[in-house]
Amino acid sequence: MLVLWMCGIIGFKGKGNAGKIIFEGLKRLEYRGYDSWGIALNSAGLEILRKPGKIGSLPAAFEGGSLGIGHTRWATHGGVNEKNAHPQLSNNRKIAVVHNGIIENFLELKKFLSSHGFSFASETDTEVIPNLIQFHLAEGLSFREAVRKTLLQLDGYYAIAAVLEGSGTIIGARNGSPLVAGLGRNEFFIASDIPAFMPHTRKVVFLDDREIVELDDSIKVFSVDSGLEIKKKVQRMHWSIEQVKKGNFAHFMLKEISEQPDAIEKAAMQDPARLKKIAGIIGKADNVFFVGCGTSYHACVSAEYAFSEIAGKSVKAVLASEFARHIKSLSEKSVVVAVSQSGETIDLLETVRAAKEKKAKIVSVVNVAGSSLPRMSDETIMMNSGPEICVLSTKSYTAQLAVMLLLAFSLCGRAAEGRCIIRKAAEKAAETIRKSLPAAKKLAKKLSKKQDIFLIGRGNAFPSALEGALKIKEVSYIHAEGFAGAELKHGTIALIEKGVPVIAFMTSESEKQITSNAMEVKARGAFLIGIGEKKSEIFDEFFEIGGCDEAALIPRIIPVQLLAYYLALERRLDPDKPRNLAKSVTVK
Ligand code: G6P
């Protein structure tokens, strides 16, 4: 059976506590997947620990050591069990490998290895890697060369880390899945993402595709194809350690919701000249597509409204996974704005690759520095939201909205005014968090046993309804759907009966019409919740958000984020790690 992975990997070489450092790092990577986890420590021999389920506790015997690798898994196919967990081992049990990605030709490679007497203990594609390394070591190659020769045989996307019993080095490599190296004081790391090693160092080397990294008494990078050494730039990250810790918050989700005022401000601090240049590129284009997945796609839908309403420019929002049908309409006069928190979502990267082939200009809006997307783009706007650890996007969403608005304002020559409006939205976001938190908590108690929640909004509040519904369902598992205000009555109103909650976003532009839509459901017994600038008597509950003109879409989502958070708590769910989800979707 085919097994795909979208996981977190880490490797550490230092003077001691390897097991503990890897374990703590894995916990910070758990947002990438949490079906099972494992560690390989290279101490007297190769010690292997593999467990199904979320990361539990580390046995004392695994705390020490000076070199090892770890893995936290998100599986799409294949059993979640100990034998499919990573690290995967070679037949002689001397090589351990952790892997993120998919080896497309693993069946062929398995056949090749089987014909040379190898056997397989798991259903994973990964298991071919340590065995191929064993095969090439037997040919007399060094560890690094054996890994390189193995990589040359693999088709597909991957990031790996490998250890060889007694070798004293870790070899990592990337091709399409993220991998970054960290340089501490006599301590060296590789990981899928920087937070894994952030408490230890902020000096990083971003690997590019088809590069191998060797962790020994230093970090060296080589080309997979030529084997030659590549000189890489060491960069310093400005994220703080506090940003990857929960601090006084019970969960990252609540912490990140609370960080939004700051994140919105930071997103708005863009270099005006660059913004003007990028807005100019968008303005001159024949056709412009805003492309993303999940929450980032909802920010793209908001861009459709913002560009048309603020700048009179028509742009199109498209789901990255559905972009193929637009490829034919791309030319060198097209612009694709790729929006992504992680900068690693595979469907988006594929869209960008295809758009580049058509010579379209690529502008990306990204949060994670050093991720794949900026490297593929002609222009990049960094959102500067800091690390987002909770699987759900909250602060990165409102930061994306801030960037979209800023671009639209820049396009019509109102950049400075736009910046002031967004600053005001950041203030209103802080006020909204303060005011709506206790009410959201109370409301969650009332709604926690409901089966469905519907959200309606008109105009630029329609994408807010889509995003609000996504927040509620992904974290509370309550079915939620967002609609354009008038659409509910074209079918879904059949589901409205006494007590069904409906959340209506009231905007100044659509006050009358959305009030009519709200009344239609109230007449059928709906429990009506309003979010807007002006309280109205028709609502059973109301969340007031302060006015901030064209940027009202920013604070308006906050009461729903808080409601979703408290619904999860009421239902005794972990808001940071909803079932079946992962933060960074690196498989198709
Ligand atoms: C995953 C996450 C979502 C996110 C989406 C797109 O599904 O669970 O929260 O919106 O990926 O991620 P990106 O990093 O491209 O914004």
Side-chain angles (χ1 to χ4, degrees):
M1 191 187 298
L2 180 64
V3 183
L4 303 175
W5 306 94
M6 183 170 60
C7 318
I9 66 178
I10 180 168
F12 168 78
K13 173 162 185 187
K15 296 270 175 258
N17 294 331
K20 207 159 169 234
I21 289 170
I22 291 166
F23 178 75
E24 295 298 334
L26 280 183
K27 283 214 228 154
R28 285 186 292 273
L29 285 179
E30 216 181 356
Y31 69 88
R32 302 179 69 87
Y34 29 86
D35 293 335
S36 48
W37 62 285
I39 289 176
L41 276 185
N42 202 355
S43 39
L46 211 51
E47 307 287 341
I48 306 293
L49 173 75
R50 291 194 303 209
K51 298 264 183 202
K54 286 185 186 174
I55 298 178
S57 53
L58 184 70
F62 274 84
E63 284 184 4
S66 56
L67 185 155
I69 55 178
H71 188 267
T72 178
R73 175 195 182 206
W74 186 89
T76 58
H77 300 273
V80 174
N81 53 36
E82 200 233 302
K83 72 175 193 279
N84 285 341
H86 293 200
Q88 287 289 314
L89 294 174
S90 57
N91 277 198
N92 64 8
R93 300 187 65 83
K94 288 188 187 306
I95 302 141
V97 169
V98 290
H99 165 221
N100 171 24
I102 173 171
I103 307 305
E104 282 161 7
N105 59 339
F106 84 101
L107 286 174
E108 206 179 290
L109 295 169
K110 247 180 162 172
K111 221 153 134 198
F112 165 81
L113 286 164
S114 301
S115 71
H116 287 84
F118 284 82
S119 61
F120 296 89
S122 80
E123 299 166 298
T124 68
D125 52 346
T126 305
E127 203 180 352
V128 297
I129 305 174
N131 285 310
L132 282 170
I133 299 172
Q134 177 185 329
F135 179 84
H136 293 306
L137 281 169
E139 292 174 328
L141 296 179
S142 67
F143 182 32
R144 191 178 78 222
E145 274 300 298
V147 174
R148 191 172 80 82
K149 203 156 173 200
T150 297
L151 297 175
L152 288 171
Q153 290 174 277
L154 306 183
D155 289 340
Y157 296 128
Y158 55 77
I160 63 153
V163 288
L164 166 66
E165 189 180 277
S167 84
T169 60
I170 299 174
I171 309 285
R174 81 162 265 171
N175 186 41
S177 296
L179 195 66
V180 55
L183 287 82
R185 219 173 270 153
N186 298 320
E187 291 183 329
F188 304 98
F189 300 82
I190 44 173
S192 303
D193 200 358
I194 299 161
F197 53 71
M198 197 128 98
H200 304 277
T201 179
R202 272 178 276 168
K203 276 159 74 180
V204 302
V205 172
F206 292 109
L207 294 182
D208 284 300
D209 282 348
R210 305 200 66 74
E211 287 183 350
I212 293 182
V213 57
E214 185 174 38
L215 268 61
D216 199 339
D217 293 328
S218 64
I219 284 182
K220 284 189 180 152
V221 178
F222 302 86
S223 154
V224 170
D225 298 304
S226 68
L228 296 175
E229 191 173 349
I230 301 170
K231 288 282 164 229
K232 301 286 288 186
K233 204 165 100 195
V234 178
Q235 300 187 36
R236 210 182 158 78
M237 293 306 294
H238 298 294
W239 292 354
S240 72
I241 292 163
E242 279 60 45
Q243 285 177 303
V244 292
K245 289 186 177 165
K246 274 189 252 177
N248 293 329
F249 291 89
H251 299 99
F252 280 110
M253 182 172 175
L254 188 59
K255 178 174 183 259
E256 288 158 10
I257 290 173
S258 308
E259 284 170 353
Q260 287 181 109
D262 189 45
I264 296 159
E265 281 250 19
K266 289 211 174 104
M269 279 183 213
Q270 305 289 342
D271 171 19
R274 279 204 61 230
L275 269 186
K276 198 171 162 195
K277 180 182 166 205
I278 296 172
I281 295 173
I282 293 175
K284 276 192 231 112
D286 279 358
N287 48 5
V288 182
F289 297 93
F290 279 72
V291 190
C293 302
T295 291
S296 296
Y297 167 69
H298 294 154
C300 294
V301 183
S302 290
E304 248 183 20
Y305 285 87
F307 272 77
S308 160
E309 288 170 359
I310 298 172
K313 171 93 187 172
S314 171
V315 305
K316 191 159 180 50
V318 188
L319 284 165
S321 55
E322 290 295 321
F323 194 77
R325 75 199 145 102
H326 294 286
I327 288 290
K328 272 197 178 154
S329 60
L330 293 182
S331 70
E332 68 278 7
K333 289 185 179 150
S334 308
V335 172
V336 169
V337 183
V339 183
S340 174
Q341 189 285 130
S342 61
E344 298 291 352
T345 305
I346 194 82
D347 284 328
L348 190 59
L349 299 187
E350 298 257 302
T351 293
V352 168
R353 271 183 206 118
K356 277 168 82 84
E357 273 173 28
K358 291 285 207 169
K359 305 211 168 10
K361 278 240 153 14
I362 312 294
V363 174
S364 56
V365 179
V366 188
N367 190 37
V368 178
S371 58
S372 302
L373 191 53
R375 279 178 271 178
M376 299 163 78
S377 308
D378 298 298
E379 300 288 342
T380 297
I381 301 177
M382 294 306 297
M383 286 148 51
N384 303 321
S385 319
E388 192 177 61
I389 311 283
C390 174
V391 167
L392 282 84
S393 298
T394 53
K395 65 173 177 173
S396 65
Y397 172 65
T398 44
Q400 284 166 348
L401 295 181
V403 172
M404 305 295 164
L405 288 167
L406 208 52
L407 277 173
F409 279 118
S410 302
L411 179 54
C412 62
R414 290 171 61 198
E417 186 197 348
R419 204 162 292 121
C420 290
I421 292 175
I422 294 164
R423 280 217 185 99
K424 194 160 148 204
E427 279 167 29
K428 295 298 168 193
E431 200 179 293
T432 308
I433 295 167
R434 234 181 7 256
K435 282 194 186 158
S436 50
L437 190 141
K441 202 169 173 180
K442 229 164 107 192
L443 184 60
K445 281 194 199 305
K446 266 193 203 157
L447 304 190
S448 69
K449 303 234 158 50
K450 299 286 182 189
Q451 269 189 346
D452 311 288
I453 299 180
F454 297 103
L455 297 93
I456 53 173
R458 296 180 80 116
N460 66 28
F462 166 47
S464 311
L466 297 179
E467 172 59 11
L470 182 64
K471 286 290 91 74
I472 292 173
K473 62 188 155 194
E474 59 186 343
V475 76
S476 74
Y477 315 156
I478 295 176
H479 167 243
E481 268 187 271
F483 293 93
E487 275 300 306
L488 199 67
K489 63 175 171 288
H490 294 296
T492 311
I493 201 161
L495 300 181
I496 304 292
E497 53 186 3
K498 195 168 181 326
V500 172
V502 175
I503 300 175
F505 289 103
M506 305 294 288
T507 63
S508 41
E509 304 80 35
S510 65
E511 200 185 322
K512 280 199 188 117
Q513 298 101 312
I514 197 79
T515 303
S516 313
N517 301 140
M519 290 307 288
E520 287 155 10
V521 291
K522 195 176 165 89
R524 280 142 188 102
F527 179 76
L528 212 52
I529 301 145
I531 299 175
E533 291 167 27
K534 221 163 74 196
K535 201 168 174 172
S536 149
E537 279 175 7
I538 64 164
F539 293 102
D540 298 297
E541 302 279 348
F542 196 84
F543 291 92
E544 214 170 321
I545 55 158
C548 47
D549 307 309
E550 288 96 331
L553 71 167
I554 293 179
R556 134 181 352 134
I557 196 65
I558 291 172
V560 189
Q561 294 173 337
L562 287 167
L563 175 65
Y565 172 73
Y566 284 111
L567 280 172
L569 296 196
E570 280 298 319
R571 291 162 70 92
R572 302 193 183 287
L573 301 169
D574 179 351
D576 288 340
K577 299 186 201 87
R579 70 181 174 209
N580 307 336
L581 299 180
K583 186 145 192 76
S584 179
V585 180
T586 55
V587 293
K588 284 199 176 210

